[in-house]
Amino acid sequence: MSRLALLAAVLLAVPAHAQETRVVHLRDALAPQPYSVVEHVVPPGSTSSLDASTGPMYAQHPGFPLTIGGASQYPPMRGLVLEDVDADGALDLVVSSPDMHVYAFRLDGQSLPGFPVAVGALAQYPASVADLDGDGFVEVVQATRGLGGGGALYVFDRFGTARPGFPVSFGAANVEASPTLADLDDDGMLEIIAQERIGNIGGRVHIVEADGSEWGGAWPVALDHVPTTTPAVADVDRDGDLDLVLQSYTSLWVLDRGGFSLPGFPKPIAGTSFSYQSAALADLDGDGPLEIAVGAHQLNSGVWVMRSNGSFFGTWPRLLGTWMYCPPTIADIDGDGSLDVLAGREGFAGDDTPTLWAWSGNGLLKPGFPVSGPGGGGAAGAITTADLDGDGKLEIFTDHTLAVGGVGSILGYDSIGNVLPGFPLHPVGYTYLNGAHLADVDGDGDLDLGALSFLGNTIRVNLWDLGAPVDPARVPVPTYHVDATHRGREGDVARVRLVGALEPGNAVRLQVLGAAGTPAWLWLGATPGFAAAPPYGVFRLGFSPPPLMLLAGTALPAPGSIDVAVIVPPFASVSGITLYLQALTTDADGDASLTPLVAKTFP
C-alpha cells in the first residue's frame, strides 16, 4: 500500500464524534523511508476556526463543486488541468481520478463528449495536455499505476478516443507521476517522457512518440532506484539541446536527449531522499545555464539548489527541519527583477510551526517569511502565483495538510507573507498534496481558481471566481510544474489566449503574453478541400497529419498582454471545412512550437 493510501486510510477513518489531534507515522511498502502526517480535528463541543459556513468572500461558480468518484485509500495528487480540450475557445477542467477514470468538464459542469474515459489503473497525477502532432487539436496524456504494478501510458484525443498505439505498457510496471511533453528532437512534434517504476527496486525513463513507438539507442535509461517525480525539461547547460531533470529515490538525474548523464550527475545528496518534489528550473544568477531547485526529505529535509554541473549554488541548501513533499516554485514575488524560490513542508497541528518559505535566488529569507497556516500544519502541493491587484508583486497560493471536521483549506498570501483577504478558501475535504490552479476559465477577464479536495470515496472539483482582472503576463506560475506540459521551466507558459468565437466574418481577440519568448506568427488555417477567396493565398504548412492549409498569417506584436483583433475571412462555402486558429510561438529556451487556440468545423 502506498504512503498516500496509508494516509487516507488512517485520516479518513476517524469517526467525527471522537476526533482529536494526532500524528500518524506511516511506512510505504514500495519505498524504504517512513514519514509523518497529521490531522487537526475539532473536539466535540468546540468551534472550528476553519468553518466553511461563515460566508466566504469568494463564491464558487454556479454548479461547483462537482463531485466525482475517488478511492479513499488513494487520494489525487497535484490537482487538475485547465485547458481547452474540445477546441471551442473556452477552457475545460481535466481531472484525473484514482477511480480509474479521466474526466473533462465544461464550465457548466457537463462532461465533454467522450468523457470520462476509463483507464485500467489508478490515475493519481494530473494528465498532461498539449498538441502532440501539430494537427491543431490537443491530446490528453495520462499515466496510471496499480497497487504494485500494472500501470500504463494513455493518450486520448479531444473526443476521449484512445490514439492508435496506446495504451503503452512497460511490462507489468507502473507509470509514475505526470508525463512530461516536449519536442526533444526538433521535429515539430512533442515527445512523451514517461517513467517506469519497477516495484521497490528501480525504474527506467522512456521517450514515447505520438504514435506509441519508443526511442531506442540509450533509451530507455535505467535509474539507480524508483522514479519519484515529474521530469522537468529545458536546455539546462545551454548547448542548444533540451535536457531532462528527474529524481530517483536516491539521486538527482540530468540526462541529455541522447540518454546520457550530464557531467556531475546522477547526484546523490547524503542524508536525503526524493519523493514527489519535482524540480523547478530557472537561471537564478543570469549567467545563461539553468539552476535546479529541488526538495528533499529524510535527515536533511529541505530545498537544495544546484548548478548545471552538479555543484551547489550560492548559500543553498536551506534545511526545514521536517520532511517535505512540496515541489519548489520559482518566481519573482516582489517585482525586484530577481527570481525567488518558494517551498513548503510537512507540519504539525495546533502550533505555529512554519508552513511556507520564500527565499531569494541566492538563498536569503524573504521579508515576512516563513508563514504559518491556520492551526499549524504544512504545505505539500503545487505552489502557484499571480499578481491579483496589478501592483507588480505576486500573490502566492498553496494547499494545506490539515482539515477540521472534514473541511480543508487553500491558503493565500501576499509577497511579504500577509494572509490575503478572503483566504483561506475552505472546500469540503482535504487539499493535501494538491494545490490551486489559476486561469480565466469563463473568459470574463477575471481570474478563477480551481482546486481538488477529497474525502472518503469522493473527490470535489472546486472552482472559485477571484474577481481579479487577469493579465496573462501577471500569472507566471498558474499550475503544477508551470503549465499543462509539466516541463517545470520558469517562464515557460502558453503565450497566447483567444477571446471570442471563430466564425467567418467575426473578429476575435488574442491576448499576447510576455512571460517567455516572443510570439512569432498567428496562423489562420483550414483543412484541404475548399476555395479560398482572394486575397488569402493557400500554402501548405509543415505539420501533419492532417496537413493544414494556411489562409492568412500575421506577425504578432511584442509581448505584453496586448489584445490583437483578427478578422476571420468569409467564405462562399465552408461546409465540411475545419478552420484553425493557431500561434507559432517561442518558449523560454527559444524553441518554436505551434500552439492550438481554437478549431471550428462547419457542417
Side-chain angles (χ1 to χ4, degrees), residues 502-564:
L502 185 66
E503 300 283 356
N506 250 15
V508 295
R509 292 186 301 114
L510 297 172
Q511 294 179 321
V512 184
L513 286 67
T518 302
W521 282 89
L522 171 70
W523 302 112
L524 178 61
T527 49
F530 65 93
Y536 303 104
V538 179
F539 304 92
R540 187 178 298 276
L541 297 180
F543 295 90
S544 63
L548 306 182
M549 311 301 282
L550 175 65
L551 302 184
T554 181
L556 294 174
S561 300
I562 303 168
D563 284 347
V564 183

Side-chain angles (χ1 to χ4, degrees), residues 384-399:
T384 51
T385 61
D387 180 5
L388 296 185
D389 53 12
D391 66 352
K393 302 176 182 180
L394 298 179
E395 283 68 50
I396 303 163
F397 307 92
T398 188
D399 69 331

Side-chain angles (χ1 to χ4, degrees), residues 43-122:
S46 66
T47 301
S48 168
S49 62
L50 304 185
D51 186 353
S53 65
T54 56
M57 175 176 175
Y58 299 112
Q60 295 212 37
H61 281 274
F64 286 85
L66 306 174
T67 58
I68 61 174
S72 62
Q73 296 183 356
Y74 298 92
M77 296 178 60
R78 306 311 186 207
L80 47 77
V81 175
L82 302 173
E83 285 291 320
D84 182 8
V85 174
D86 58 359
D88 67 350
L91 296 184
D92 307 303
L93 296 87
V94 181
V95 184
S96 306
S97 174
D99 75 349
M100 304 185 186
H101 289 84
V102 178
Y103 298 81
F105 299 103
R106 295 192 175 102
L107 181 64
D108 62 5
Q110 297 299 308
S111 294
L112 268 62
F115 288 87
V117 291
V119 291
L122 309 176

Side-chain angles (χ1 to χ4, degrees), residues 213-314:
S213 61
E214 286 199 51
W215 281 21
W219 300 100
V221 174
L223 303 177
D224 57 352
H225 208 289
V226 298
T228 57
T229 61
T230 297
V233 176
D235 183 3
V236 173
D237 57 1
R238 309 307 292 172
D239 69 347
D241 294 328
L242 293 177
D243 307 298
L244 286 65
V245 180
L246 54 108
Q247 294 102 280
S248 71
Y249 193 79
T250 55
S251 301
L252 176 68
W253 289 70
V254 182
L255 301 169
D256 66 20
R257 67 179 183 178
F260 301 100
S261 293
L262 267 59
F265 299 95
K267 186 178 184 65
I269 302 175
T272 66
S273 296
F274 301 106
S275 287
Y276 314 132
Q277 316 99 331
S278 300
L281 310 177
D283 183 4
L284 294 176
D285 57 4
D287 67 346
L290 304 183
E291 280 68 52
I292 303 166
V294 63
H297 62 269
Q298 207 181 36
L299 297 179
N300 291 323
S301 175
V303 178
W304 301 70
V305 179
M306 278 155 280
R307 297 186 182 275
S308 60
N309 61 7
S311 63
F312 292 112
F313 176 75

Side-chain angles (χ1 to χ4, degrees), residues 18-46:
Q19 294 177 341
E20 60 184 15
T21 300
R22 61 190 63 208
V23 177
V24 186
H25 297 276
L26 307 177
R27 182 178 292 274
D28 182 358
L30 296 181
Q33 296 298 328
Y35 79 123
S36 299
V37 296
V38 296
E39 179 189 28
H40 187 199
V41 290
V42 183
S46 66

Side-chain angles (χ1 to χ4, degrees), residues 384-424:
T384 51
T385 61
D387 180 5
L388 296 185
D389 53 12
D391 66 352
K393 302 176 182 180
L394 298 179
E395 283 68 50
I396 303 163
F397 307 92
T398 188
D399 69 331
H400 197 215
T401 60
L402 306 186
V404 176
V407 177
S409 297
I410 292 291
L411 308 181
Y413 300 96
D414 67 15
S415 63
I416 56 174
N418 297 311
V419 177
L420 295 178
F423 281 80

